[in-house]
Amino acid sequence: MCVTMINLHAQNPNLGSAGAQFLKIPIGARSVALGGAVTGMSEDATALFWNPAGIAQAHAHSLHFSYIPWMTFFDITAIAYSVDLEEKGILGFHAITLGMDKLEITTERQPDGTGQYFDAQDMVVGASYAQRLTDRFSMGVSAKYIFQRIWNEKAHGLGFDVGTHYEIDFQKMVLAMSMQNFGPDMRLNGPELLVVVDDDELFPNRLLQTQKQTESYPLPLSFQFGLAANLIKNPYLHSRIAVDAIHYNDNAEQIHVGLETAIINLIILRGGYKFNNDEVRGSLGVGLKKKIDKMVLKLDTAVVMHERLGETTYMSMGILF
């Protein structure tokens, strides 16, 4: 056991060193069902969560909403919107909130509860801009405000995403890259860190007020390179495969693979797998796509199988108009 731990440390000394881990929770049932291999596959408002250059491939307007009951105690809600301003570029806006119900505070002296309650909340709000530099190549950038709270302790920060999207004729192949969560370190501060101590030798009853200081922590920075291409395309079937290679600043490199097949452009079946991931195994999903006049309605669901944490269900809705 000791040898194994030493080897892991040698492979990645920064393992588990980043904070704001909610930023790594995948958003969008379609994206999740594809195993997160969507750096080159995100082409609507969901691209704001993965690769901001992808919104340059969307309709005039794209709206997305996701809900995730995360690990029993938490709920995640996400919304994204992009609008094509033609020659002026494409704007996008997105928000993610993670919350939990209040839990009673317990201590060593009061293991049955103190009568006080605490909760926690994470939030990110972002604005994005993308531009088609040619008919095949686009770039995008996002700026994000990040907020974390545990009871009354809070942290604030800024993060940035940058992405590219390049398409070639062969099998409608896409080569894409993105960098996510680049920004300064964050630190929690709050009233519960204030303490009163008796630290005066001459006047032992004189109480002094001081404050504990938490350590700062970096954001979970990541670099993705994605490839996506058609396998089959005819009036009845459209099958597309995607592969992403991902480098994290706080974990080992991973390879994500996803496969999507649309049947008569109505029912979509998806599957994905993450290689070199200790917790997430496979993922499956199904989607429905319906065109109503000039509007396209998309409903998606996905299930992710975890090694120790059971299954997580994702639900999403998208509208293109």
Side-chain angles (χ1 to χ4, degrees), residues 26-47 50 54 64-66 228 230 238-242 257-262 268-272 283-289 298-304 314-318:
I27 302 297
R30 173 181 181 260
S31 305
V32 170
L34 291 170
V38 290
T39 304
M41 290 275 277
S42 297
E43 298 180 345
D44 56 15
T46 58
W50 301 90
H64 174 86
F65 177 80
S66 282
N230 286 342
H238 183 192
S239 187
R240 195 162 174 82
I241 190 171
V257 179
L259 178 65
E260 178 178 71
T261 300
I268 304 102
L269 305 178
R270 306 181 179 103
S283 54
L284 296 170
V286 62
L288 295 175
K289 183 178 179 181
K298 299 189 293 184
L299 299 175
D300 298 299
T301 185
V303 176
V304 179
Y314 291 71
M315 293 167 285
S316 296
M317 181 181 70

Side-chain angles (χ1 to χ4, degrees), residues 9-31:
H9 182 78
Q11 291 173 4
N12 193 332
N14 296 321
L15 189 66
S17 61
Q21 289 292 305
F22 80 102
L23 295 173
K24 294 169 67 175
I25 297 174
I27 302 297
R30 173 181 181 260
S31 305

Side-chain angles (χ1 to χ4, degrees), residues 41-281:
M41 290 275 277
S42 297
E43 298 180 345
D44 56 15
T46 58
L48 296 169
F49 306 116
W50 301 90
N51 178 5
I55 60 174
Q57 320 305 316
H59 284 56
H61 301 269
S62 178
L63 180 65
H64 174 86
F65 177 80
S66 282
Y67 173 74
I68 313 164
W70 185 255
M71 305 302 176
T72 305
F73 296 104
F74 304 95
D75 291 303
I76 300 172
T77 303
I79 188 168
Y81 170 73
S82 67
V83 55
D84 191 341
L85 302 178
E86 298 180 354
E87 292 85 0
K88 296 180 181 179
I90 303 92
L91 291 180
F93 305 93
H94 72 278
I96 305 171
T97 62
L98 182 151
M100 59 173 286
D101 294 332
K102 290 187 176 182
L103 297 176
E104 189 170 10
I105 298 173
T106 61
T107 66
E108 294 180 353
R109 295 183 178 181
Q110 295 175 285
D112 295 327
T114 63
Q116 291 182 300
Y117 292 81
F118 81 97
D119 63 354
Q121 182 185 32
D122 292 331
M123 181 182 69
V124 59
V125 178
S128 305
Y129 176 79
Q131 182 63 266
R132 303 181 188 93
L133 301 182
T134 71
D135 60 342
R136 298 174 181 269
F137 182 71
S138 59
M139 293 186 64
V141 61
S142 297
K144 305 185 290 189
Y145 167 72
I146 303 163
F147 170 80
Q148 290 194 284
R149 179 179 62 81
I150 303 176
W151 198 12
N152 295 315
E153 279 56 61
K154 301 175 182 178
H156 307 264
L158 290 175
F160 299 90
D161 300 344
V162 178
T164 63
H165 185 282
Y166 179 68
E167 183 178 317
I168 60 179
D169 287 335
F170 177 72
Q171 297 298 97
K172 286 293 182 180
M173 184 177 294
V174 172
L175 303 176
M177 292 182 290
S178 71
M179 176 186 69
Q180 291 185 295
N181 305 319
F182 175 78
D185 292 356
M186 296 175 61
R187 184 194 300 271
L188 283 165
N189 288 294
E192 269 64 46
L193 298 177
L194 291 173
V195 294
V196 178
V197 296
D198 185 352
D199 193 31
D200 195 318
E201 295 181 358
L202 296 177
F203 302 96
N205 293 323
R206 178 179 294 176
L207 300 180
L208 303 177
Q209 190 177 66
T210 186
Q211 184 171 14
K212 297 178 181 179
Q213 187 176 56
T214 61
E215 291 187 4
S216 61
Y217 52 87
L219 300 179
L221 179 67
S222 64
F223 299 88
Q224 289 87 227
F225 174 80
L227 184 151
N230 286 342
L231 292 178
I232 303 171
K233 186 172 183 181
N234 59 51
Y236 306 102
L237 288 176
H238 183 192
S239 187
R240 195 162 174 82
I241 190 171
V243 180
D244 277 17
I246 306 176
H247 173 80
Y248 297 99
N249 69 337
D250 64 340
N251 209 330
E253 286 76 13
Q254 297 180 18
I255 300 293
H256 299 178
V257 179
L259 178 65
E260 178 178 71
T261 300
I263 304 172
I264 60 173
N265 203 30
L266 177 64
I267 301 174
I268 304 102
L269 305 178
R270 306 181 179 103
Y273 193 86
K274 297 183 177 183
F275 293 91
N276 203 29
N277 188 300
D278 294 334
E279 179 57 33
V280 178
R281 292 299 179 235

